[in-house]
């Protein structure tokens, strides 16, 4: 850029900063709401894994063995026995009323059949209306059922004179050595906050970027804006977007310092990939917001597209449901969402610590979103000079 162009960028930046200062919607959407989102998600999941989930029991056997099973279930971190029901029907109604997430059914004669090696059946029922609660309670119920049969088997083998080593090899012939990479605690905060919070921040970036351009038409300031930039739309757009970029970078990098520096989320890749990814996330989101307005130079329509794309991106990022498990057309569609590429770069370089070369495709995609405004810059200029705002 020439010195005159730089001077005009500075003039447009000053104009934009005055607009940001005078209009409270910018302060709320760029600072207040993103900070509230950060605090909301990270504190809601601060325990890492849901604990003390309500579980019921139907113990028709009512022996010392069945009561021991119930005590073991109650001792688990994820489950808490809140009620004993006389029948399966009452326990099922309790699940339907959302009073419990699961219940264990121990039929009459279980202990007698177990001691006689007649393979009794115990049942556990759980609701998957909540995936996390259903999965955790199912795991606890399954472990309790396994421990019950193992306990009786251990007592039987010891009575027959078997050693502890023989008992262990009989009950568990194969020992599992499990290694959960990067997040050994199975911390849900690490899994969810690292994609939901950036996704919602990107939503605000989409909306504010499109809104800040659209209001130039709405308040009949568009020609003044272009004239201040000397008719150069690149200068006009740079001066408008740069102050917003600085605020968004401060928010994004502040969020990253909060989760990695204060909450100590795992980040095997170190600080530089985190900072670099923050810059790419902000610029790619702003690029998409400008592109959305360029496609449909209407304040209402462009913000609607940005809202739809941002909400869909939370599902298409691949954190809640893996992309490879989706249908082929949806797998292809996932590449059109900036959050998907942000999440993949985070997962590869920050979470697992692999070099950027392993995520080159997603890095190129984020750069592509950043450069998308070049394809619509002339259309935006034409809209600023000739279009009339229609509510």
């Amino acid at each position: 850029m020439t010195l005159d162009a730089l001077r005009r960028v500075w003039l447009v930046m000053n104009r934009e900063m005055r607009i940001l200062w005078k209009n409270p919607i910018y302060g709320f959407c760029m600072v207040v709401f993103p900070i509230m989102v950060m605090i909301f998600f990270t504190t809601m999941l601060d325990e890492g894994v849901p604990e003390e989930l309500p579980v019921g029991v139907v113990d028709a056997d009512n022996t010392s063995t069945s009561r021991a099973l119930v005590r073991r279930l109650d001792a688990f971190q994820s489950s808490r026995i809140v009620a004993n029901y006389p029948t399966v029907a009452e326990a099922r109604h309790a699940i339907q009323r959302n009073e419990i997430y699961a219940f264990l059914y121990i039929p009459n004669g279980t202990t007698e059949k177990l001691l006689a090696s007649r393979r009794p059946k115990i049942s556990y029922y759980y609701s998957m209306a909540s995936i996390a609660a259903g999965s955790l309670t199912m795991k606890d119920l399954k472990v309790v059922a396994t421990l019950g049969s193992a306990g009786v088997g251990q007592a039987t083998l010891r009575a027959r004179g078997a050693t502890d080593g023989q008992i262990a090899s009989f009950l568990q012939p194969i020992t599992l050595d499990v290694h959960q990479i990067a997040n050994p605690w199975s911390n849900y905060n690490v899994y969810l906050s690292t994609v939901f919070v950036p996704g919602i921040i990107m939503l605000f970036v989409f909306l504010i970027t499109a809104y800040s351009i659209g209001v130039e038409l709405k308040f009949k300031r568009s020609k003044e804006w272009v004239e201040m930039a000397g008719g150069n739309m690149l200068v006009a757009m740079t001066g408008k977007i740069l102050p917003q970029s600085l605020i968004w970078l401060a928010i994004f990098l502040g969020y990253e310092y909060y989760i990695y520096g204060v909450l100590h989320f795992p980040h095997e890749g170190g600080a530089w990939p985190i900072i670099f990814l923050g810059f790419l996330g902000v610029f790619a989101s702003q690029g998409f917001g400008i592109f959305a307005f360029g496609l449909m130079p209407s304040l209402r329509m462009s913000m609607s597209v940005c809202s739809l794309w941002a909400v869909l991106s939370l599902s298409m990022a691949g954190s809640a449901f893996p992309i490879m498990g989706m249908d082929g057309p949806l797998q292809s569609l996932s590449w059109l969402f900036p959050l998907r590429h942000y999440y993949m770069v985070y997962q590869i370089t920050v979470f697992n610590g692999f070099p950027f070369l392993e995520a080159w495709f997603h890095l190129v995609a984020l750069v592509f979103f950043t450069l998308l405004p070049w394809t619509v810059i002339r259309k935006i200029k034409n809209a600023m000079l000739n279009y009339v705002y229609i509510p």
Side-chain angles (χ1 to χ4, degrees):
M1 283 188 179
T2 63
L3 287 177
D4 181 64
L6 291 175
R7 182 181 64 83
R8 290 184 181 278
V9 167
W10 177 250
L11 290 175
V12 177
M13 284 180 60
N14 285 332
R15 173 182 179 274
E16 185 66 20
M17 286 187 285
R18 289 194 297 270
I19 294 173
L20 295 178
W21 179 258
K22 290 180 181 179
N23 193 341
I25 194 172
Y26 290 106
F28 279 101
C29 291
M30 299 179 74
V31 180
V32 177
F33 293 153
I35 292 176
M36 290 175 61
V37 167
M38 294 179 209
I39 296 173
F40 173 77
F41 276 102
T42 54
T43 53
M44 180 179 67
L45 301 168
D46 61 343
E47 293 181 354
V49 179
E51 298 179 357
E52 302 291 325
L53 297 172
V55 174
V57 171
V58 180
D59 186 4
D61 196 40
N62 196 25
T63 62
S64 59
T65 302
S66 65
R67 289 192 293 271
L69 284 178
V70 173
R71 287 194 297 270
R72 285 177 179 173
L73 177 60
D74 196 35
F76 287 153
Q77 182 180 2
S78 301
S79 303
R80 177 170 60 92
I81 304 295
V82 296
N84 286 272
Y85 300 98
T87 64
V88 171
E90 292 190 27
R92 180 172 59 83
H93 290 150
I95 287 184
Q96 294 172 340
R97 293 192 299 268
N98 292 320
E99 296 175 358
I100 57 175
Y101 288 111
F103 68 89
L104 177 67
Y105 171 50
I106 306 175
N108 186 26
T110 298
T111 303
E112 179 183 350
K113 292 179 181 179
L114 192 62
L115 294 175
S117 301
R118 294 206 301 268
R119 300 183 65 187
K121 293 182 179 180
I122 65 174
S123 306
Y124 46 86
Y125 300 79
Y126 54 94
S127 171
M128 291 299 287
S130 172
I131 295 178
S135 300
L136 289 171
T137 53
M138 183 273 291
K139 183 182 70 173
D140 287 352
L141 292 168
K142 186 176 181 179
V143 171
V144 161
T146 304
L147 289 176
S149 60
V152 174
Q154 182 182 32
T156 304
L157 290 172
R158 183 167 285 116
R160 294 176 180 175
T163 64
D164 289 341
Q166 291 172 329
I167 293 172
S169 62
F170 179 80
L171 295 178
Q172 191 177 17
I174 298 176
T175 302
L176 299 178
D177 188 14
V178 180
H179 298 273
Q180 293 183 230
I181 300 174
N183 187 11
W185 319 276
S186 297
N187 190 324
Y188 277 56
N189 209 356
V190 172
Y191 288 135
L192 299 179
S193 294
T194 50
V195 64
F196 282 170
V197 176
I200 296 176
I201 293 177
M202 285 183 174
L203 165 64
F204 286 123
V205 178
F206 289 172
L207 292 174
I208 288 297
T209 302
Y211 173 81
S212 65
I213 302 172
V215 292
E216 298 290 350
L217 280 175
K218 180 178 181 179
F219 297 125
K220 299 179 175 61
R221 301 192 305 246
S222 56
K223 293 181 180 179
E224 170 201 331
W225 173 39
V226 177
E227 288 173 3
M228 184 176 289
N232 188 330
M233 203 60 206
L234 177 61
V235 170
M237 195 63 70
T238 302
K240 172 170 283 293
I241 295 301
L242 194 54
Q244 298 178 29
S245 301
L246 296 176
I247 297 174
W248 288 125
L249 285 172
I251 292 295
F252 225 105
L253 296 177
Y255 152 74
E256 291 178 335
Y257 173 78
Y258 172 60
I259 63 170
Y260 297 117
V262 178
L263 300 182
H264 304 292
F265 281 19
H267 50 288
E268 299 294 329
W272 286 113
I274 294 172
I275 296 172
F276 183 60
L277 184 56
F279 275 80
L280 279 180
V282 169
F283 294 149
S285 302
Q286 289 184 308
F288 182 85
I290 298 171
F291 176 73
F293 184 85
L295 282 181
M296 287 167 288
S298 163
L299 177 63
R300 176 166 49 87
M301 290 302 297
S302 61
M303 291 187 69
S304 298
V305 170
C306 289
S307 300
L308 174 64
W309 218 247
V311 171
L312 287 176
S313 66
L314 294 173
S315 299
M316 301 301 293
S319 62
F321 190 88
I323 296 296
M324 69 264 310
M326 298 181 181
D327 292 337
L330 291 178
Q331 293 186 33
S332 301
L333 184 65
S334 68
W335 303 119
L336 302 180
F337 295 86
L339 183 61
R340 166 62 179 170
H341 302 287
Y342 171 92
Y343 175 67
M344 290 304 296
V345 175
Y346 155 77
Q347 193 177 53
I348 294 170
T349 64
V350 177
F351 189 72
N352 289 310
F354 294 119
F356 277 114
L357 187 62
E358 300 290 335
W360 70 269
F361 177 81
H362 303 286
L363 291 171
V364 170
L366 289 174
V367 173
F368 172 76
F369 280 110
T370 303
L371 299 178
L372 270 180
W374 283 101
T375 62
V376 295
I377 196 74
R378 290 184 178 179
K379 189 173 181 181
I380 294 177
K381 181 178 180 179
N382 180 55
M384 293 298 110
L385 295 177
N386 302 308
Y387 283 22
V388 176
Y389 176 75
I390 300 176

PDB file of all heavy atoms in Angstrom, residues 226 231-234 237 290 293-295 297 372-387:
ATOM      1  N   VAL A 226     -16.987   4.643   1.592  1.00  0.00           N
ATOM      2  CA  VAL A 226     -16.175   4.373   0.396  1.00  0.00           C
ATOM      3  C   VAL A 226     -15.376   5.606  -0.004  1.00  0.00           C
ATOM      4  O   VAL A 226     -14.203   5.512  -0.393  1.00  0.00           O
ATOM      5  CB  VAL A 226     -17.069   3.885  -0.760  1.00  0.00           C
ATOM      6  CG1 VAL A 226     -16.242   3.666  -2.027  1.00  0.00           C
ATOM      7  CG2 VAL A 226     -17.778   2.586  -0.377  1.00  0.00           C
ATOM      8  N   GLY A 231     -12.337   5.551  -2.673  1.00  0.00           N
ATOM      9  CA  GLY A 231     -12.925   4.660  -3.661  1.00  0.00           C
ATOM     10  C   GLY A 231     -12.281   3.293  -3.727  1.00  0.00           C
ATOM     11  O   GLY A 231     -12.682   2.459  -4.537  1.00  0.00           O
ATOM     12  N   ASN A 232     -11.291   3.050  -2.879  1.00  0.00           N
ATOM     13  CA  ASN A 232     -10.590   1.755  -2.849  1.00  0.00           C
ATOM     14  C   ASN A 232     -11.275   0.856  -1.819  1.00  0.00           C
ATOM     15  O   ASN A 232     -11.160   1.088  -0.613  1.00  0.00           O
ATOM     16  CB  ASN A 232      -9.120   1.966  -2.493  1.00  0.00           C
ATOM     17  CG  ASN A 232      -8.307   0.689  -2.642  1.00  0.00           C
ATOM     18  OD1 ASN A 232      -8.807  -0.417  -2.480  1.00  0.00           O
ATOM     19  ND2 ASN A 232      -7.023   0.869  -2.961  1.00  0.00           N
ATOM     20  N   MET A 233     -11.977  -0.189  -2.298  1.00  0.00           N
ATOM     21  CA  MET A 233     -12.744  -1.029  -1.377  1.00  0.00           C
ATOM     22  C   MET A 233     -11.831  -1.846  -0.473  1.00  0.00           C
ATOM     23  O   MET A 233     -12.214  -2.188   0.651  1.00  0.00           O
ATOM     24  CB  MET A 233     -13.672  -1.952  -2.181  1.00  0.00           C
ATOM     25  CG  MET A 233     -14.869  -2.449  -1.385  1.00  0.00           C
ATOM     26  SD  MET A 233     -15.876  -1.068  -0.810  1.00  0.00           S
ATOM     27  CE  MET A 233     -16.634  -1.786   0.637  1.00  0.00           C
ATOM     28  N   LEU A 234     -10.624  -2.176  -0.950  1.00  0.00           N
ATOM     29  CA  LEU A 234      -9.679  -2.902  -0.095  1.00  0.00           C
ATOM     30  C   LEU A 234      -9.275  -2.049   1.098  1.00  0.00           C
ATOM     31  O   LEU A 234      -9.214  -2.536   2.233  1.00  0.00           O
ATOM     32  CB  LEU A 234      -8.447  -3.305  -0.906  1.00  0.00           C
ATOM     33  CG  LEU A 234      -7.333  -4.004  -0.125  1.00  0.00           C
ATOM     34  CD1 LEU A 234      -7.848  -5.306   0.492  1.00  0.00           C
ATOM     35  CD2 LEU A 234      -6.127  -4.271  -1.017  1.00  0.00           C
ATOM     36  N   MET A 237     -12.367  -1.814   3.460  1.00  0.00           N
ATOM     37  CA  MET A 237     -12.620  -3.039   4.219  1.00  0.00           C
ATOM     38  C   MET A 237     -11.535  -3.270   5.263  1.00  0.00           C
ATOM     39  O   MET A 237     -11.827  -3.705   6.386  1.00  0.00           O
ATOM     40  CB  MET A 237     -12.712  -4.224   3.264  1.00  0.00           C
ATOM     41  CG  MET A 237     -13.318  -5.470   3.891  1.00  0.00           C
ATOM     42  SD  MET A 237     -15.031  -5.224   4.419  1.00  0.00           S
ATOM     43  CE  MET A 237     -15.863  -5.091   2.835  1.00  0.00           C
ATOM     44  N   ILE A 290     -17.553 -11.596   5.714  1.00  0.00           N
ATOM     45  CA  ILE A 290     -17.528 -10.670   4.580  1.00  0.00           C
ATOM     46  C   ILE A 290     -18.068 -11.352   3.327  1.00  0.00           C
ATOM     47  O   ILE A 290     -18.841 -10.772   2.556  1.00  0.00           O
ATOM     48  CB  ILE A 290     -16.088 -10.162   4.340  1.00  0.00           C
ATOM     49  CG1 ILE A 290     -15.588  -9.376   5.562  1.00  0.00           C
ATOM     50  CG2 ILE A 290     -16.026  -9.287   3.097  1.00  0.00           C
ATOM     51  CD1 ILE A 290     -14.111  -9.026   5.504  1.00  0.00           C
ATOM     52  N   PHE A 293     -21.861 -11.582   3.317  1.00  0.00           N
ATOM     53  CA  PHE A 293     -22.519 -10.325   2.929  1.00  0.00           C
ATOM     54  C   PHE A 293     -22.336 -10.068   1.446  1.00  0.00           C
ATOM     55  O   PHE A 293     -23.240  -9.549   0.781  1.00  0.00           O
ATOM     56  CB  PHE A 293     -21.958  -9.146   3.731  1.00  0.00           C
ATOM     57  CG  PHE A 293     -22.661  -7.856   3.445  1.00  0.00           C
ATOM     58  CD1 PHE A 293     -23.817  -7.520   4.116  1.00  0.00           C
ATOM     59  CD2 PHE A 293     -22.176  -6.980   2.469  1.00  0.00           C
ATOM     60  CE1 PHE A 293     -24.492  -6.334   3.824  1.00  0.00           C
ATOM     61  CE2 PHE A 293     -22.837  -5.804   2.179  1.00  0.00           C
ATOM     62  CZ  PHE A 293     -23.997  -5.479   2.856  1.00  0.00           C
ATOM     63  N   GLY A 294     -21.175 -10.410   0.903  1.00  0.00           N
ATOM     64  CA  GLY A 294     -20.950 -10.198  -0.525  1.00  0.00           C
ATOM     65  C   GLY A 294     -21.865 -11.039  -1.384  1.00  0.00           C
ATOM     66  O   GLY A 294     -22.293 -10.603  -2.458  1.00  0.00           O
ATOM     67  N   LEU A 295     -22.167 -12.270  -0.944  1.00  0.00           N
ATOM     68  CA  LEU A 295     -23.093 -13.112  -1.698  1.00  0.00           C
ATOM     69  C   LEU A 295     -24.492 -12.520  -1.730  1.00  0.00           C
ATOM     70  O   LEU A 295     -25.163 -12.535  -2.759  1.00  0.00           O
ATOM     71  CB  LEU A 295     -23.148 -14.522  -1.082  1.00  0.00           C
ATOM     72  CG  LEU A 295     -22.000 -15.466  -1.388  1.00  0.00           C
ATOM     73  CD1 LEU A 295     -22.259 -16.806  -0.709  1.00  0.00           C
ATOM     74  CD2 LEU A 295     -21.836 -15.665  -2.893  1.00  0.00           C
ATOM     75  N   PRO A 297     -25.923  -9.018  -0.470  1.00  0.00           N
ATOM     76  CA  PRO A 297     -25.694  -7.704   0.160  1.00  0.00           C
ATOM     77  C   PRO A 297     -26.934  -7.158   0.849  1.00  0.00           C
ATOM     78  O   PRO A 297     -27.494  -6.131   0.479  1.00  0.00           O
ATOM     79  CB  PRO A 297     -25.262  -6.825  -1.018  1.00  0.00           C
ATOM     80  CG  PRO A 297     -24.886  -7.753  -2.105  1.00  0.00           C
ATOM     81  CD  PRO A 297     -25.770  -8.948  -1.926  1.00  0.00           C
ATOM     82  N   LEU A 372     -11.512 -15.488   1.060  1.00  0.00           N
ATOM     83  CA  LEU A 372     -12.793 -15.489   0.335  1.00  0.00           C
ATOM     84  C   LEU A 372     -13.305 -14.083  -0.018  1.00  0.00           C
ATOM     85  O   LEU A 372     -13.927 -13.917  -1.074  1.00  0.00           O
ATOM     86  CB  LEU A 372     -13.858 -16.221   1.162  1.00  0.00           C
ATOM     87  CG  LEU A 372     -14.000 -17.722   0.952  1.00  0.00           C
ATOM     88  CD1 LEU A 372     -15.094 -18.284   1.851  1.00  0.00           C
ATOM     89  CD2 LEU A 372     -14.323 -18.035  -0.512  1.00  0.00           C
ATOM     90  N   PRO A 373     -13.097 -13.045   0.824  1.00  0.00           N
ATOM     91  CA  PRO A 373     -13.623 -11.714   0.458  1.00  0.00           C
ATOM     92  C   PRO A 373     -13.131 -11.197  -0.887  1.00  0.00           C
ATOM     93  O   PRO A 373     -13.811 -10.363  -1.510  1.00  0.00           O
ATOM     94  CB  PRO A 373     -13.135 -10.828   1.612  1.00  0.00           C
ATOM     95  CG  PRO A 373     -13.037 -11.756   2.774  1.00  0.00           C
ATOM     96  CD  PRO A 373     -12.572 -13.056   2.196  1.00  0.00           C
ATOM     97  N   TRP A 374     -11.963 -11.672  -1.362  1.00  0.00           N
ATOM     98  CA  TRP A 374     -11.475 -11.217  -2.658  1.00  0.00           C
ATOM     99  C   TRP A 374     -12.471 -11.533  -3.775  1.00  0.00           C
ATOM    100  O   TRP A 374     -12.529 -10.814  -4.779  1.00  0.00           O
ATOM    101  CB  TRP A 374     -10.131 -11.878  -2.983  1.00  0.00           C
ATOM    102  CG  TRP A 374      -8.975 -11.273  -2.252  1.00  0.00           C
ATOM    103  CD1 TRP A 374      -8.360 -11.748  -1.148  1.00  0.00           C
ATOM    104  CD2 TRP A 374      -8.297 -10.051  -2.582  1.00  0.00           C
ATOM    105  NE1 TRP A 374      -7.340 -10.911  -0.746  1.00  0.00           N
ATOM    106  CE2 TRP A 374      -7.271  -9.856  -1.616  1.00  0.00           C
ATOM    107  CE3 TRP A 374      -8.453  -9.104  -3.595  1.00  0.00           C
ATOM    108  CZ2 TRP A 374      -6.418  -8.771  -1.641  1.00  0.00           C
ATOM    109  CZ3 TRP A 374      -7.590  -8.010  -3.624  1.00  0.00           C
ATOM    110  CH2 TRP A 374      -6.593  -7.852  -2.660  1.00  0.00           C
ATOM    111  N   THR A 375     -13.246 -12.582  -3.621  1.00  0.00           N
ATOM    112  CA  THR A 375     -14.165 -12.999  -4.678  1.00  0.00           C
ATOM    113  C   THR A 375     -15.419 -12.129  -4.734  1.00  0.00           C
ATOM    114  O   THR A 375     -16.151 -12.183  -5.744  1.00  0.00           O
ATOM    115  CB  THR A 375     -14.570 -14.470  -4.489  1.00  0.00           C
ATOM    116  OG1 THR A 375     -15.269 -14.619  -3.239  1.00  0.00           O
ATOM    117  CG2 THR A 375     -13.340 -15.374  -4.484  1.00  0.00           C
ATOM    118  N   VAL A 376     -15.692 -11.371  -3.685  1.00  0.00           N
ATOM    119  CA  VAL A 376     -16.939 -10.588  -3.646  1.00  0.00           C
ATOM    120  C   VAL A 376     -16.691  -9.110  -3.377  1.00  0.00           C
ATOM    121  O   VAL A 376     -17.636  -8.359  -3.171  1.00  0.00           O
ATOM    122  CB  VAL A 376     -17.896 -11.154  -2.556  1.00  0.00           C
ATOM    123  CG1 VAL A 376     -18.353 -12.554  -2.915  1.00  0.00           C
ATOM    124  CG2 VAL A 376     -17.235 -11.146  -1.182  1.00  0.00           C
ATOM    125  N   ILE A 377     -15.430  -8.677  -3.369  1.00  0.00           N
ATOM    126  CA  ILE A 377     -15.126  -7.308  -2.973  1.00  0.00           C
ATOM    127  C   ILE A 377     -15.762  -6.297  -3.942  1.00  0.00           C
ATOM    128  O   ILE A 377     -16.252  -5.233  -3.529  1.00  0.00           O
ATOM    129  CB  ILE A 377     -13.598  -7.105  -2.868  1.00  0.00           C
ATOM    130  CG1 ILE A 377     -13.280  -5.828  -2.095  1.00  0.00           C
ATOM    131  CG2 ILE A 377     -12.937  -7.110  -4.229  1.00  0.00           C
ATOM    132  CD1 ILE A 377     -13.507  -5.947  -0.619  1.00  0.00           C
ATOM    133  N   ARG A 378     -15.780  -6.613  -5.242  1.00  0.00           N
ATOM    134  CA  ARG A 378     -16.385  -5.690  -6.215  1.00  0.00           C
ATOM    135  C   ARG A 378     -17.898  -5.618  -6.028  1.00  0.00           C
ATOM    136  O   ARG A 378     -18.499  -4.548  -6.174  1.00  0.00           O
ATOM    137  CB  ARG A 378     -16.055  -6.140  -7.634  1.00  0.00           C
ATOM    138  CG  ARG A 378     -14.587  -5.964  -8.004  1.00  0.00           C
ATOM    139  CD  ARG A 378     -14.349  -6.334  -9.455  1.00  0.00           C
ATOM    140  NE  ARG A 378     -12.960  -6.133  -9.833  1.00  0.00           N
ATOM    141  CZ  ARG A 378     -12.457  -6.394 -11.033  1.00  0.00           C
ATOM    142  NH1 ARG A 378     -13.266  -6.864 -11.993  1.00  0.00           N
ATOM    143  NH2 ARG A 378     -11.181  -6.183 -11.292  1.00  0.00           N
ATOM    144  N   LYS A 379     -18.496  -6.746  -5.715  1.00  0.00           N
ATOM    145  CA  LYS A 379     -19.944  -6.754  -5.502  1.00  0.00           C
ATOM    146  C   LYS A 379     -20.316  -5.933  -4.268  1.00  0.00           C
ATOM    147  O   LYS A 379     -21.346  -5.241  -4.266  1.00  0.00           O
ATOM    148  CB  LYS A 379     -20.431  -8.197  -5.354  1.00  0.00           C
ATOM    149  CG  LYS A 379     -21.941  -8.336  -5.346  1.00  0.00           C
ATOM    150  CD  LYS A 379     -22.378  -9.790  -5.368  1.00  0.00           C
ATOM    151  CE  LYS A 379     -23.894  -9.893  -5.394  1.00  0.00           C
ATOM    152  NZ  LYS A 379     -24.350 -11.310  -5.399  1.00  0.00           N
ATOM    153  N   ILE A 380     -19.483  -6.008  -3.228  1.00  0.00           N
ATOM    154  CA  ILE A 380     -19.749  -5.205  -2.026  1.00  0.00           C
ATOM    155  C   ILE A 380     -19.633  -3.724  -2.345  1.00  0.00           C
ATOM    156  O   ILE A 380     -20.453  -2.905  -1.899  1.00  0.00           O
ATOM    157  CB  ILE A 380     -18.780  -5.614  -0.898  1.00  0.00           C
ATOM    158  CG1 ILE A 380     -19.053  -7.054  -0.447  1.00  0.00           C
ATOM    159  CG2 ILE A 380     -18.911  -4.667   0.289  1.00  0.00           C
ATOM    160  CD1 ILE A 380     -18.091  -7.566   0.608  1.00  0.00           C
ATOM    161  N   LYS A 381     -18.610  -3.357  -3.139  1.00  0.00           N
ATOM    162  CA  LYS A 381     -18.454  -1.940  -3.509  1.00  0.00           C
ATOM    163  C   LYS A 381     -19.666  -1.463  -4.300  1.00  0.00           C
ATOM    164  O   LYS A 381     -20.184  -0.354  -4.057  1.00  0.00           O
ATOM    165  CB  LYS A 381     -17.180  -1.757  -4.331  1.00  0.00           C
ATOM    166  CG  LYS A 381     -16.932  -0.303  -4.723  1.00  0.00           C
ATOM    167  CD  LYS A 381     -15.631  -0.151  -5.488  1.00  0.00           C
ATOM    168  CE  LYS A 381     -15.405   1.319  -5.873  1.00  0.00           C
ATOM    169  NZ  LYS A 381     -14.125   1.510  -6.610  1.00  0.00           N
ATOM    170  N   ASN A 382     -20.122  -2.263  -5.231  1.00  0.00           N
ATOM    171  CA  ASN A 382     -21.303  -1.889  -6.018  1.00  0.00           C
ATOM    172  C   ASN A 382     -22.525  -1.722  -5.118  1.00  0.00           C
ATOM    173  O   ASN A 382     -23.333  -0.798  -5.298  1.00  0.00           O
ATOM    174  CB  ASN A 382     -21.559  -2.959  -7.078  1.00  0.00           C
ATOM    175  CG  ASN A 382     -22.773  -2.636  -7.930  1.00  0.00           C
ATOM    176  OD1 ASN A 382     -22.863  -1.561  -8.531  1.00  0.00           O
ATOM    177  ND2 ASN A 382     -23.725  -3.557  -7.988  1.00  0.00           N
ATOM    178  N   ALA A 383     -22.653  -2.609  -4.122  1.00  0.00           N
ATOM    179  CA  ALA A 383     -23.778  -2.503  -3.192  1.00  0.00           C
ATOM    180  C   ALA A 383     -23.683  -1.231  -2.361  1.00  0.00           C
ATOM    181  O   ALA A 383     -24.693  -0.538  -2.134  1.00  0.00           O
ATOM    182  CB  ALA A 383     -23.816  -3.729  -2.286  1.00  0.00           C
ATOM    183  N   MET A 384     -22.496  -0.886  -1.906  1.00  0.00           N
ATOM    184  CA  MET A 384     -22.328   0.313  -1.080  1.00  0.00           C
ATOM    185  C   MET A 384     -22.651   1.589  -1.855  1.00  0.00           C
ATOM    186  O   MET A 384     -23.150   2.574  -1.287  1.00  0.00           O
ATOM    187  CB  MET A 384     -20.895   0.384  -0.555  1.00  0.00           C
ATOM    188  CG  MET A 384     -20.516  -0.704   0.441  1.00  0.00           C
ATOM    189  SD  MET A 384     -21.473  -0.680   1.966  1.00  0.00           S
ATOM    190  CE  MET A 384     -22.467  -2.172   1.775  1.00  0.00           C
ATOM    191  N   LEU A 385     -22.395   1.580  -3.160  1.00  0.00           N
ATOM    192  CA  LEU A 385     -22.584   2.802  -3.941  1.00  0.00           C
ATOM    193  C   LEU A 385     -23.965   2.899  -4.583  1.00  0.00           C
ATOM    194  O   LEU A 385     -24.443   4.035  -4.831  1.00  0.00           O
ATOM    195  CB  LEU A 385     -21.518   2.877  -5.052  1.00  0.00           C
ATOM    196  CG  LEU A 385     -20.055   3.014  -4.586  1.00  0.00           C
ATOM    197  CD1 LEU A 385     -19.121   2.997  -5.771  1.00  0.00           C
ATOM    198  CD2 LEU A 385     -19.875   4.270  -3.754  1.00  0.00           C
ATOM    199  N   ASN A 386     -24.600   1.749  -4.813  1.00  0.00           N
ATOM    200  CA  ASN A 386     -25.831   1.787  -5.608  1.00  0.00           C
ATOM    201  C   ASN A 386     -27.063   1.198  -4.926  1.00  0.00           C
ATOM    202  O   ASN A 386     -28.182   1.530  -5.298  1.00  0.00           O
ATOM    203  CB  ASN A 386     -25.612   1.049  -6.944  1.00  0.00           C
ATOM    204  CG  ASN A 386     -24.480   1.659  -7.740  1.00  0.00           C
ATOM    205  OD1 ASN A 386     -24.451   2.880  -7.968  1.00  0.00           O
ATOM    206  ND2 ASN A 386     -23.543   0.831  -8.177  1.00  0.00           N
ATOM    207  N   TYR A 387     -26.879   0.292  -3.967  1.00  0.00           N
ATOM    208  CA  TYR A 387     -28.041  -0.382  -3.377  1.00  0.00           C
ATOM    209  C   TYR A 387     -28.768   0.538  -2.414  1.00  0.00           C
ATOM    210  O   TYR A 387     -28.174   1.406  -1.793  1.00  0.00           O
ATOM    211  CB  TYR A 387     -27.613  -1.656  -2.644  1.00  0.00           C
ATOM    212  CG  TYR A 387     -27.316  -2.836  -3.567  1.00  0.00           C
ATOM    213  CD1 TYR A 387     -26.992  -2.649  -4.880  1.00  0.00           C
ATOM    214  CD2 TYR A 387     -27.355  -4.136  -3.086  1.00  0.00           C
ATOM    215  CE1 TYR A 387     -26.697  -3.714  -5.726  1.00  0.00           C
ATOM    216  CE2 TYR A 387     -27.061  -5.220  -3.905  1.00  0.00           C
ATOM    217  CZ  TYR A 387     -26.742  -4.973  -5.244  1.00  0.00           C
ATOM    218  OH  TYR A 387     -26.449  -6.035  -6.042  1.00  0.00           O
TER     219      TYR A 387
END
